[in-house]
Amino acid sequence: MPEISAKLVQELRKATGAGMMDCKKALEQNNGDITKATEWLRQKGIASAGKLEGKVAAEGLVESYIHTGSRIGVLVEVNCQTDFVARNEAFKHLVKSIAMQIAACPQVEYISVDEIPTEFVESEKSIEMGREDLSKKPENIREKIVQGRIEKRLKELTLMDQPYIKDQNITVAELVKETSAQLGEKVQVRRFTRFVLGEGIEKKEDNFAEEVAAQMGKE
């Protein structure tokens, strides 16, 4: 086995974002071949997806999911860099899982916090600052409490901050990052639409008591 130099370990670490010991092990497992070591790290899901952030992801899939009963439907677009990865079963599974996640989260309106309009954030902050339970607290304490409440509220509205429905120990963002590292390509959720049967339609609500009285009057 060739000697694995610190310089080679550092080069692999810079390229993949993986930890030093993981890089050393990858190089040892692949006789010092940095290309094979990179592939090995990706197969293990260790290579950092962070190194892929600057890449352009224009391929991918548009997936649909119809929940049991056909009352809730979802369309979601998830992107990757190549058509080859778009056909990969791990990527397909990720896209389907995200579509199901969206169906299960009626409160989610945005992909990430940075998509939420500033006007909405300011409005929420104004509402929180005016709450009675904070009225007697010092200004600096109020600011901290409100900031915490706002951050929690915004995360409730964003897909990437949701606990993954199949594993509550990770978020959707972490799921996407893990899959990205596994596939060796940038993966991102671009957009989604959630359909709820009858949503937005003004429904006529009949008064049951009046209906019964009317029927009895006819008789």
Side-chain angles (χ1 to χ4, degrees), residues 63 65 76 78 90-104 159 164-166 172 175:
E63 182 63 84
Y65 171 73
V76 61
V78 182
F91 182 78
K92 291 179 180 179
H93 179 72
L94 171 70
V95 180
K96 175 62 78 173
S97 295
I98 289 175
M100 293 175 67
Q101 179 84 36
I102 295 166
L159 174 64
Y164 179 38
I165 54 174
K166 296 181 181 178
V172 174
L175 172 68

Side-chain angles (χ1 to χ4, degrees), residues 60-186:
L61 295 172
V62 173
E63 182 63 84
S64 63
Y65 171 73
I66 307 298
H67 190 59
T68 305
S70 299
R71 301 185 67 86
I72 298 174
V74 168
L75 278 176
V76 61
E77 178 182 345
V78 182
N79 298 131
C80 57
Q81 291 174 239
T82 65
D83 184 56
F84 175 76
V85 164
R87 297 193 301 270
N88 185 283
E89 288 302 318
F91 182 78
K92 291 179 180 179
H93 179 72
L94 171 70
V95 180
K96 175 62 78 173
S97 295
I98 289 175
M100 293 175 67
Q101 179 84 36
I102 295 166
C105 298
Q107 79 281 10
V108 166
E109 299 179 31
Y110 305 93
I111 294 172
S112 57
V113 171
D114 56 12
E115 286 189 355
I116 300 177
T118 304
E119 297 79 12
F120 176 84
V121 178
E122 292 302 318
S123 174
E124 289 293 303
K125 184 175 181 180
S126 177
I127 292 171
E128 290 297 335
M129 288 293 285
R131 292 195 183 277
E132 291 184 8
D133 64 331
L134 300 180
S135 61
K136 296 181 180 180
K137 295 187 182 295
E139 183 69 20
N140 62 325
I141 300 298
R142 279 205 302 163
E143 286 283 352
K144 288 182 180 179
I145 294 174
V146 167
Q147 184 62 31
R149 289 180 179 179
I150 293 298
E151 288 178 0
K152 181 181 178 182
R153 170 65 174 145
L154 298 185
K155 287 182 177 181
E156 288 174 350
L157 297 173
T158 56
L159 174 64
M160 303 306 283
D161 288 299
Q162 299 302 305
Y164 179 38
I165 54 174
K166 296 181 181 178
D167 182 357
Q168 297 286 304
N169 294 314
I170 63 171
T171 63
V172 174
E174 290 169 328
L175 172 68
V176 171
K177 188 174 182 180
E178 287 176 6
T179 306
S180 180
Q182 177 187 346
L183 296 172
E185 284 196 9
K186 180 178 180 178

